[in-house]
Amino acid sequence: MNRYDYVIIGAGSAGCVLANRLTEDGQTRVLLLEAGGKDSSILVKMPAGVGSLIGKAGVYNWGFWTEPEPNLENRKLWWPRGKGWGGSSSINGMIYIRGHARDYDQWRQMGLSGWAYRDVLPYFKRSENFEGGADDWHGGEGPLRVSKAASPNPIYKATVEAGRQAGHPITNDFNGYQQEGWGPYQLTVHDGQRWSAARAYLHPALSRPNLTCITGARTSRIVVENGRATGVEYIDAKTNKKQVVQADKEVLLCAGAVQSPHILQLSGIGDPEELGKFGVPVVKALKGVGANLQDHLDVTMSWECPQPITAYSLRKGLLKTLAIGMNYAFFGKGLGRQQFLESGAFLKSRPDLDRPDLQIHTVLAIMQDHGKVSVAKDGFTFHVCQLRPESRGRVGLRSADPLDDPAIFANYLATEEDRRALREGVKMMRQVAEQPALGPYRKEELYPGKDVQSDDEIDAWIRKHAETIYHPVGTCKMGAAGDDMAVVDAELKVRGVEGLRVVDASVMPTLVGGNTNAPTIMIAEKAADMIRGRAALTPEDAPVYGDDQKAA
């Protein structure tokens, strides 16, 4: 049996960080298991490739589906999740957002010492190499390259100005002084290339002799003996045979908010009632495994553009598409360097909120149903996303077969507040779209269209068209002592099982206000210090924030 100090399950955003940080000493033996393959495709490297990666299952995308959603006309929703080196950071929209300062102070208020914003800010900064250089909020020497929006397309600036004209604030840095407002996004892109967690953390560590990476390794269970995780059983994709590797110190589960709870359940760690339905022997009863699922639900509103300056005209026809690919492949130039999503906003759906509860992404295309709906027109889209859903879902077993997909019950729009917030977001974006700044670029409203006006009509349209914007979290919840639904403690150790931690977005007790890749990397950076027994980075004096982002 092959033996290592640590066995990491999953080479996604968190797993890549741990593989790098735990092998820095040159002595610690680490095995990284990944069910997918390497991140070698030009579609992964090229920012414009995101549209081809996110809309269909394949080598880089698990392509899950939810169970029928009762509040969305019983539709099954498409859930892309990254597969292979980099995980979802290799197929995402490359938006670098940390969430609001108060999101993390809320974790502290839940009894999770060490997770307030002033505690996690040093780890965000340690991970980051910001194009603008280091300052109170940004790091300048980390492995994760973060750039400023650079596209010259006038629609991006026009949407920001239209937001101002509609009465909203302006902010130049969603991760800095003030989150609320309209402004440019920061991107995990460097020199026109996607800067995934694999690119930032894993590739620089591959030459280390104390790091072993195995691809095509589908974890079937975590081996637990006498209350301690001692190894991992996986299925080798080449031979279709089961292999077992031993972890002398710890097993580190980094398979994401969908597959981490699924692997725990396959290993007999979970709700006994759920496990019993599928004949899985109970190793450790933990009712919270798979529960507490939260995700950002999103609706896409699109307008036709009278000018040929959006993705449709820029990429129309086979020759243009081939030219873009060849220009990027051979010279690293052209439209392949863009992901067509460089401005947006964080807004409050009602003024009494203490932080924004809506996020807007501006896309230079008519974007419907994850790009699966093709509209032969120039246009732009506002993604309208509710940031802090009250609704909770779960991830469960479909069978005891480790090769079966997990069952996903997202339970979107289960509360009136969730429905109200999205409905208000639709109204707010119509107000922004009608401002003078967008006049030269705005023609007919295509989605939802002029026939959708009343609250009931807007609600019905949302039920028919809302989709995920790819931010599931919470299914292996971090919680304080006494929280019966907590799966891990503040050090990310699985309750009642020695030698096992979960390190990924599944440990978030509540969903942060924004994209989840940067927070997942932060969690892994912080976990690496915990695992190595190193003192946490010294909390910094909190910088001065705007009224919406003052740390408590």
Side-chain angles (χ1 to χ4, degrees):
M1 181 186 299
N2 293 320
R3 300 179 62 169
Y4 303 86
D5 294 313
Y6 299 97
V7 176
I8 302 169
I9 302 172
S13 295
C16 288
V17 174
L18 292 183
N20 183 302
R21 295 305 191 193
L22 297 181
T23 57
E24 285 177 322
D25 63 3
Q27 303 297 319
T28 303
R29 299 163 302 153
V30 174
L31 172 65
L32 179 62
L33 296 174
E34 170 53 45
K38 300 179 180 180
D39 56 339
S40 53
S41 171
I42 190 174
L43 291 176
V44 173
K45 177 181 178 181
M46 180 175 66
V50 60
S52 300
L53 295 169
I54 211 140
K56 58 185 178 181
V59 175
Y60 298 105
N61 188 345
W62 287 97
F64 296 129
W65 292 89
T66 70
E67 299 302 299
E69 286 296 318
N71 304 304
L72 297 177
E73 297 190 347
N74 287 315
R75 291 185 292 127
K76 292 185 176 183
L77 269 61
W78 172 249
W79 267 38
R81 304 310 302 156
K83 184 178 184 181
W85 284 1
S88 292
S89 74
S90 287
I91 68 169
N92 68 2
M94 292 154 279
I95 301 295
Y96 181 82
I97 289 291
R98 299 172 179 175
H100 198 282
R102 289 178 179 169
D103 295 333
Y104 302 97
D105 286 341
Q106 182 178 345
W107 294 3
R108 179 190 62 188
Q109 296 298 330
M110 298 169 69
L112 296 169
S113 177
W115 291 95
Y117 189 68
R118 68 188 301 267
D119 299 310
V120 303
L121 179 58
Y123 288 99
F124 278 118
K125 292 175 69 173
R126 183 167 80 175
S127 70
E128 185 185 17
N129 189 331
F130 182 50
E131 180 181 71
D135 60 23
D136 285 345
W137 301 281
H138 293 282
E141 298 180 355
L144 184 67
R145 294 278 190 164
V146 177
S147 63
K148 299 177 181 180
S151 171
N153 193 290
I155 291 180
Y156 292 128
K157 289 185 177 179
T159 58
V160 173
E161 176 59 16
R164 187 193 66 78
Q165 292 172 345
H168 300 294
I170 299 296
T171 182
N172 290 320
D173 186 352
F174 293 127
N175 299 303
Y177 173 81
Q178 175 181 306
Q179 186 193 60
E180 185 181 8
W182 282 84
Y185 277 119
Q186 293 160 10
L187 313 173
T188 49
V189 173
H190 175 62
D191 193 22
Q193 300 177 37
R194 173 192 293 274
W195 216 257
S196 66
R199 187 68 182 270
Y201 287 91
L202 182 57
H203 284 274
L206 289 174
S207 61
R208 297 173 185 168
N210 56 323
L211 174 61
T212 301
C213 301
I214 301 178
T215 55
R218 181 79 174 266
T219 295
S220 50
R221 70 183 177 100
I222 296 165
V223 180
V224 180
E225 299 175 344
N226 300 317
R228 181 177 184 83
T230 60
V232 177
E233 177 187 275
Y234 69 90
I235 301 170
D236 188 321
K238 294 179 182 178
T239 64
N240 205 34
K241 293 182 178 180
K242 291 183 177 179
Q243 305 289 336
V244 177
V245 291
Q246 184 166 323
D248 290 342
K249 292 185 177 179
E250 294 189 46
V251 174
L252 306 171
L253 179 55
C254 305
V258 174
Q259 286 149 299
S260 280
H262 189 228
I263 289 170
L264 289 177
Q265 291 163 343
L266 290 169
S267 307
I269 302 170
D271 185 343
E273 184 176 344
E274 174 77 8
L275 301 180
K277 294 177 184 177
F278 303 98
V280 177
V282 178
V283 171
K284 174 60 183 177
L286 284 176
K287 291 183 65 175
V289 173
N292 193 48
L293 174 62
Q294 300 155 63
D295 186 32
H296 286 148
L297 189 66
D298 174 84
V299 289
T300 48
M301 304 175 66
S302 298
W303 283 261
E304 186 177 358
C305 178
Q307 300 188 39
I309 57 173
T310 70
Y312 172 70
S313 287
L314 296 175
R315 301 188 298 189
K316 182 181 177 182
L318 180 60
L319 290 179
K320 280 188 179 180
T321 301
L322 290 173
I324 290 170
M326 292 179 67
N327 192 21
Y328 186 87
F330 290 105
F331 307 107
K333 304 294 184 182
L335 289 175
R337 297 167 65 93
Q338 299 182 27
Q339 37 72 290
F340 296 96
L341 197 171
E342 293 195 9
S343 71
F346 288 86
L347 307 174
K348 295 176 182 177
S349 67
R350 62 175 200 261
D352 58 314
L353 294 173
D354 71 342
R355 57 197 123 156
D357 67 330
L358 296 172
Q359 183 178 3
I360 312 302
H361 298 81
T362 303
V363 183
L364 288 187
I366 299 171
M367 182 79 173
Q368 296 292 316
D369 193 12
H370 312 277
K372 296 178 181 180
V373 175
S374 179
V375 180
K377 294 180 179 180
D378 276 286
F380 63 90
T381 295
F382 287 142
H383 278 266
V384 185
C385 163
Q386 188 212 4
L387 290 176
R388 293 183 178 79
E390 295 178 342
S391 304
R392 297 291 185 269
R394 62 186 176 90
V395 171
L397 293 169
R398 195 179 299 279
S399 76
D401 184 349
L403 298 182
D404 269 359
D405 286 348
I408 301 168
F409 304 87
N411 195 34
Y412 294 114
L413 297 185
T415 74
E416 174 53 34
E417 174 59 16
D418 290 355
R419 296 188 287 270
R420 183 206 63 80
L422 265 184
R423 182 193 314 133
E424 190 63 27
V426 170
K427 296 177 183 179
M428 292 166 67
M429 286 309 98
R430 278 178 161 163
Q431 292 173 354
V432 171
E434 290 301 315
Q435 298 303 315
L438 277 169
Y441 313 107
R442 177 197 66 246
K443 199 174 177 182
E444 180 185 2
E445 179 188 306
L446 301 176
Y447 301 97
K450 61 182 180 180
D451 293 335
V452 178
Q453 295 294 332
S454 71
D455 285 0
D456 287 346
E457 289 168 343
I458 293 172
D459 286 350
W461 177 74
I462 289 172
R463 288 194 299 270
K464 187 174 182 179
H465 294 283
E467 298 282 347
T468 179
I469 202 168
Y470 326 123
H471 301 155
V473 308
T475 48
C476 297
K477 174 186 174 182
M478 175 170 51
D483 184 345
D484 292 340
M485 296 302 289
V487 177
V488 301
D489 62 17
E491 292 188 338
L492 311 185
K493 295 179 179 179
V494 174
R495 293 278 174 81
V497 182
E498 296 293 322
L500 177 61
R501 299 190 209 224
V502 181
V503 184
D504 56 32
S506 71
V507 306
M508 296 184 191
T510 56
L511 185 51
V512 298
N515 308 68
T516 50
N517 185 54
T520 300
I521 290 173
M522 175 278 290
I523 289 169
E525 283 276 18
K526 187 170 172 61
D529 277 354
M530 295 175 177
I531 294 164
R532 293 188 296 186
R534 292 174 47 161
L537 293 180
T538 304
E540 303 181 4
D541 291 334
V544 177
Y545 295 95
D547 287 341
D548 80 301
Q549 185 144 306
K550 285 180 180 175

